[in-house]
Each structure stands twice: as structure tokens, then as C-alpha cells.
Amino acid sequence: MSKVISATGSLARNSSGGAFRPKKGRKTRSQIYNGAKDKVTDLSKKMKDQAIDLLHTAKELQDMASHKMKDLTLSAKAQTDGQKKLA
């Protein structure tokens, strides 16, 4: 029985040995490089998209501030004109 177990273990080690064998240095470096390159590309795209979103938000805020300033200016002018009429 121990010969059967030993033979089974030997067969399992030999058949799976290729799956767990270290890769060559060139292939490993290539995989690391390509993986890092993909991550940089993805991160760059995300950053560009966020920058565009921030620009749109800034433009909207600028427009809102501009309209508010116009409203305040008109309101102040109306109050000043009203006080001149009373004087």
C-alpha cells in the first residue's frame, strides 16, 4: 500500500511540477513591466477624466458666482436709487 501512495505522490509532483516552476527572469520582468504599464495607463485615464470633471465643476461655480454678483449689484443699485429718491 505504501508503494501505491508513493507512486501516486510521485505522479502528482511530476504532473504539477510545470505549474509551480519559476518562470525565466526575462518573462517575469516582461510581465511586471506590462502589468505596471497597464496600471499607469489606467491611472492616467482616470486622472484625465477627473480633471475634466473638475474643470466642468469649476466652470459651473464660476457661472453661479458671476450671476450672484450681478444680482447683488442690481440689488445694491436699486437700494441706492431708492434712497436717493427719499432724500
Side-chain angles (χ1 to χ4, degrees):
M1 176 131 168
S2 67
K3 288 183 179 183
V4 172
I5 293 173
S6 177
T8 305
S10 177
L11 179 63
R13 279 191 304 274
N14 289 334
S15 64
S16 65
F20 299 108
R21 184 177 62 236
K23 296 176 184 150
K24 291 186 176 183
R26 183 182 309 147
K27 187 169 185 175
T28 300
R29 286 188 301 273
S30 176
Q31 286 180 331
I32 292 170
Y33 173 80
N34 289 333
K37 186 178 174 183
D38 291 344
K39 293 292 182 187
V40 168
T41 301
D42 291 344
L43 183 59
S44 176
K45 184 183 179 327
K46 287 179 184 177
M47 289 175 67
K48 286 178 184 177
D49 291 345
Q50 286 184 350
I52 290 169
D53 289 344
L54 284 172
L55 285 172
H56 289 148
T57 301
K59 178 65 177 153
E60 289 173 5
L61 290 171
Q62 182 183 21
D63 291 344
M64 288 172 52
S66 177
H67 290 307
K68 189 67 174 175
M69 284 298 294
K70 286 178 185 176
D71 290 345
L72 288 172
T73 303
L74 291 174
S75 175
K77 185 176 181 186
Q79 285 180 355
T80 322
D81 290 344
Q83 289 177 356
K84 286 182 183 177
K85 288 180 183 178
L86 293 176

